[in-house]
């Protein structure tokens, strides 16, 4: 029997993954992507002779079966890397995850004692049983003590997400998947190995750029008969009996009506709400309260073969403008010309703030100055620099976000054939492996005849278990 049509909004990894699994199962799928290029933040692009990614992207997963899915999709296109990371703290580079051997001499006796006392208090707190943490700050203090919190987690939180006292414990759970001070101490003392669910021992990278991953999903969608529209903007929904029956799309000056029995959305919730309930100021205001931080990626092309030996380096301290430094050639040396290297520095920001509003030249100069200060290069090496800015990419889990999201979901679920997916689509802090898992989950639900609303509810549960593994 012929299956009814599905429309997928957004051609990032989440939209393409959903379309891939659905097309494979025989659903007639159409993907609607607003941009000219597919892949969203997982796409790659060409500039200054390089193939560049949007910051450091690796393929790794602890979600059961997902690494196998990645292997079967990309096969011998995958390069396997043994991960090499460092963190810059107190003027030094330390292996990451941290090890006691290099941390202690760096701290000096007073700081080391404070750190030890903090651990001891956290371990004792754990043994005595403790109240549920109310915020990101609470969670980290309870597990690691004040010393580690102030050294690493507090400055990092301020840089990436904002005030750690205002951030939900869910963010800490997703981002810091260690069970606490006892485990950390054991790992620091090398009495316990890092397990794969806190630290990826290896990862994959698709030969030719991370964008090969969404590109492969897209080619599979087409191979299974799916359609993909790029530079296509969804303008209006046609509603009937509580469902979305068609999406009106504008592309290359022409309009098209796409009938849909099921609508899968991976686009920002604000855009979806506007299409679903145009003119509903209450819904728009509620969605507007869900905060997403913006992203500025500062690229520097330097006249040297390589800058560092790491895949990426964390810079939690506030004196550095960026969160991380990533060297494209560390993933695949063939991604740029000899004698030059391309660096990407990621900065979290908010539209209109000093970073967002700064001219490109100024951001390039600030990042270059920081690299020079960090002893990595010299100013004369700069050959070119540019900035790419992305709105609304970091879901900010404030302490009240869950209740707000719940209220919004109740309103959006009035469209009975709608399912959400993805990072911005579901307001879920995730990686591309999770997006793949969401697509697989949606297709499995549809194959079993589960209603879109129930699939969506299942996903709400599922995304809470996602952990980002560095
Ligand atoms: C610095 C950084 C490092 C990261 N590192 C990793 C990593 O190592 N490994 C990993 O797996 N993940 C990593 N991630 C996360 C990864 O980028 C995301 O999980 C993934 O990109 C989310 O995909 P998505 O499809 O949900 O969203 P997006 O990539 O944002 O895609 C959404 C798509 O929807 C389109 N769209 C928006 N509005 C509309 C509209 N109105 N109509 C039609 N289309 C629309 C957009 O153009 C876009 O193509 C990293 C992210 C960042 C920022």
């Amino acid at each position: 029997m012929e299956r009814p049509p599905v429309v997928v909004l957004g051609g990032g990894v989440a939209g393409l993954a959903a379309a891939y699994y659905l097309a494979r199962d025989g659903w007639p799928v159409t993907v609607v992507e607003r941009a000219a290029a597919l892949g969203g933040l997982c796409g790659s692009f060409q500039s200054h002779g390089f193939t560049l990614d949007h910051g450091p992207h690796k393929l790794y997963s602890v979600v059961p079966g997902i690494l196998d899915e990645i292997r079967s999709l990309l096969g011998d296109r995958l390069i396997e890397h043994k991960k090499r990371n460092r963190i810059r703290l107190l003027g030094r580079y330390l292996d990451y995850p941290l090890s006691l051997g290099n941390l202690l001499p760096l701290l000096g006796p007073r700081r080391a004692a404070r750190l030890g006392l903090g651990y001891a208090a956290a371990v004792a707190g754990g043994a005595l049983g403790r109240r549920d943490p109310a915020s990101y700050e609470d969670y980290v203090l309870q597990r690691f003590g004040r010393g580690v919190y102030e050294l690493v987690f507090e400055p990092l939180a301020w840089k990436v997400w904002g005030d750690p006292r205002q951030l939900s414990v869910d963010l800490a759970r997703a981002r810091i998947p260690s069970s606490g001070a006892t485990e950390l101490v054991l790992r620091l003392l090398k009495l316990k190995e890092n397990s794969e669910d806190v630290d990826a021992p290896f990862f994959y990278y698709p030969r030719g750029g991370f964008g090969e991953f969404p590109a492969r999903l897209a080619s599979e969608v087409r191979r299974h008969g799916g359609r993909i529209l790029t530079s296509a903007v969804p303008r209006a929904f046609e509603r009937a009996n509580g469902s979305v029956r068609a999406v009106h799309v504008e592309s290359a000056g022409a309009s098209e009506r796409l009938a849909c029995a099921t609508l899968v959305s991976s686009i920002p919730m604000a855009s979806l709400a506007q299409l679903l309930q145009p003119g509903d100021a209450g819904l728009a205001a509620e969605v507007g309260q869900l905060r997403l931080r913006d992203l500025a990626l500062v690229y520097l092309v330097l006249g040297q073969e390589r800058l560092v030996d790491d895949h990426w380096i964390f810079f939690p301290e506030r004196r550095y403008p960026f969160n991380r430094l990533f060297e494209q050639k560390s993933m695949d040396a063939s991604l740029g010309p000899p004698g030059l290297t391309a660096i990407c520095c990621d900065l979290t920001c908010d539209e209109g703030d000093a970073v967002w509003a700064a001219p490109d030249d100024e951001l390039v100069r600030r990042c270059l100055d920081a690299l020079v200060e960090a002893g990595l290069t010299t100013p004369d090496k700069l050959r070119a620099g540019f900035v790419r800015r992305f709105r609304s990419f970091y879901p900010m889990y404030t302490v009240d976000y869950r209740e707000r999201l719940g209220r919004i979901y109740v309103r959006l679920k009035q469209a009975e054939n709608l399912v959400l997916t993805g990072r911005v689509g579901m307001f879920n802090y995730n990686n591309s492996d999770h997006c793949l898992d969401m697509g697989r989950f949606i297709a499995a639900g549809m194959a079993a005849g589960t209603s879109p609303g129930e699939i969506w509810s299942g996903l709400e549960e599922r995304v809470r278990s996602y952990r980002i593994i560095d």
Side-chain angles (χ1 to χ4, degrees), residues 10-15 32-35 39-42 54-58 210 232 234 266-268 271 295 324 346 393-394 422-424 430-433 435:
V13 150
V32 180
E33 167 57 49
R34 185 179 58 182
L41 258 285
C42 287
H54 296 104
H57 274 79
K58 67 177 189 306
F210 199 83
S266 69
I267 66 174
S271 312
L295 175 68
R324 243 173 322 193
D346 59 278
F393 195 68
Y394 276 92
R423 175 157 164 146
V424 287
N430 71 23
N431 266 357
S432 66
D433 60 308
C435 295

Side-chain angles (χ1 to χ4, degrees), residues 8-16 32-43 54-60 175 210 213 232-234 266-268 271-272 275 295 297 312 323-324 331 344 346 391-394 421-426 428-435 438 468-470:
V8 177
L9 299 180
V13 150
L16 290 171
V32 180
E33 167 57 49
R34 185 179 58 182
L38 291 168
L41 258 285
C42 287
H54 296 104
H57 274 79
K58 67 177 189 306
L59 280 169
Y60 184 72
R175 214 55 195 85
F210 199 83
F213 174 39
V233 184
S266 69
I267 66 174
S271 312
L272 176 70
L275 286 160
L295 175 68
L297 296 174
W312 58 91
N323 310 326
R324 243 173 322 193
M331 294 295 186
C344 176
D346 59 278
R391 284 197 178 80
S392 308
F393 195 68
Y394 276 92
T421 188
R423 175 157 164 146
V424 287
M426 268 201 96
N428 170 241
Y429 201 93
N430 71 23
N431 266 357
S432 66
D433 60 308
H434 305 122
C435 295
M438 289 169 157
I468 297 202
I469 313 296
D470 281 318

Side-chain angles (χ1 to χ4, degrees), residues 41 68 137 166 171 310 322-323 334 355 364 367 383 423 446 453:
L41 258 285
D68 289 336
E137 180 179 87
Q166 300 300 321
L171 178 68
D310 309 73
F322 43 83
N323 310 326
S334 73
V355 168
V364 168
C367 289
R383 297 289 176 271
R423 175 157 164 146
M446 285 181 57

Side-chain angles (χ1 to χ4, degrees), residues 56-289:
H57 274 79
K58 67 177 189 306
L59 280 169
Y60 184 72
S61 192
V62 291
V63 180
I66 287 296
L67 268 186
D68 289 336
E69 297 278 336
I70 290 168
R71 287 186 195 108
S72 82
L73 271 164
L74 289 157
D76 60 7
R77 303 284 304 156
L78 290 173
I79 304 172
E80 186 172 329
H81 285 286
K82 187 171 182 316
K83 189 163 58 80
R84 294 186 308 275
N85 283 351
R86 283 183 297 167
I87 182 167
R88 179 144 176 101
L89 281 177
L90 306 170
R92 296 271 287 276
Y93 292 100
L94 308 179
D95 287 339
Y96 188 88
L98 295 164
S99 81
L100 199 62
N102 56 18
L103 188 61
L104 282 186
L106 178 72
L107 292 175
R110 270 186 60 188
R111 223 190 252 258
R114 238 184 114 210
L115 205 89
L117 285 176
Y119 276 149
V123 173
L128 295 172
R130 50 166 91 97
R131 66 185 166 77
D132 282 344
S135 65
Y136 173 101
E137 180 179 87
D138 255 15
Y139 178 95
V140 182
L141 284 177
Q142 281 188 8
R143 274 159 183 77
F144 302 105
R146 188 159 287 282
V148 177
Y149 172 68
E150 286 178 356
L151 190 64
V152 183
F153 295 110
E154 187 190 22
L156 187 69
W158 272 105
K159 260 173 118 164
V160 184
W161 308 291
D163 186 345
R165 289 161 303 181
Q166 300 300 321
L167 296 171
S168 163
V169 65
D170 287 359
L171 178 68
R173 288 201 180 104
R175 214 55 195 85
I176 312 169
S178 162
S179 61
T182 317
E183 185 184 317
L184 187 66
V185 170
L186 291 175
R187 285 197 279 119
L188 290 175
L189 292 169
K190 298 274 184 218
L191 295 175
K192 186 174 179 195
E193 286 300 310
N194 285 319
S195 59
E196 289 179 19
D197 55 352
V198 295
D199 175 37
F202 73 94
F203 65 87
Y204 290 125
Y205 185 80
R207 206 176 295 283
F210 199 83
E212 291 297 310
F213 174 39
R216 176 79 184 146
L217 288 170
S219 72
E220 283 296 296
V221 171
R222 293 189 180 105
R223 191 168 74 83
H224 290 287
R227 274 181 85 200
I228 300 179
L229 309 176
T230 50
S231 304
V233 184
R235 290 288 181 212
F237 290 167
E238 215 175 283
R239 304 282 301 266
N241 304 326
S243 290
V244 178
R245 285 290 156 236
V247 178
H248 290 263
V249 174
E250 200 175 287
S251 150
S255 319
E256 186 176 354
R257 177 184 183 276
L258 301 172
C260 71
T262 304
L263 179 65
V264 179
S265 175
S266 69
I267 66 174
M269 231 175 269
S271 312
L272 176 70
Q274 170 63 28
L275 286 160
L276 212 51
Q277 311 273 25
D280 185 337
L283 179 61
E286 188 85 87
V287 174
Q289 298 282 329

Side-chain angles (χ1 to χ4, degrees), residues 300-412:
L300 288 84
V301 178
L302 303 174
Q304 56 195 92
E305 183 55 36
R306 288 293 300 273
L307 188 77
V308 289
D309 194 32
D310 309 73
H311 292 110
W312 58 91
I313 303 180
F314 295 98
F315 285 79
E317 291 167 341
R318 269 180 245 184
R319 65 201 169 109
Y320 296 104
F322 43 83
N323 310 326
R324 243 173 322 193
L325 173 160
F326 163 58
E327 185 167 12
Q328 190 69 52
K329 279 186 171 178
S330 72
M331 294 295 186
D332 178 349
S334 73
L335 295 180
L340 293 176
T341 195
I343 303 301
C344 176
C345 304
D346 59 278
L347 286 72
T348 332
C349 54
D350 297 303
E351 190 170 355
D353 73 7
V355 168
W356 184 269
D360 287 11
D361 287 355
E362 186 187 319
L363 288 184
V364 168
R365 189 189 44 74
R366 284 181 57 196
C367 289
L368 179 68
D369 289 350
L371 295 182
V372 172
E373 191 274 349
L376 295 175
T377 191
T378 49
D380 58 302
K381 294 282 192 327
L382 184 70
R383 297 289 176 271
F386 62 96
V387 181
R388 286 195 148 201
R389 293 176 176 77
F390 297 88
R391 284 197 178 80
S392 308
F393 195 68
Y394 276 92
M396 220 177 130
Y397 286 1
T398 49
V399 281
D400 60 351
Y401 90 99
R402 259 211 212 185
E403 291 72 33
R404 176 158 286 121
L405 200 55
R407 288 196 295 274
I408 294 168
Y409 277 0
V410 168
R411 302 284 305 279
L412 297 182

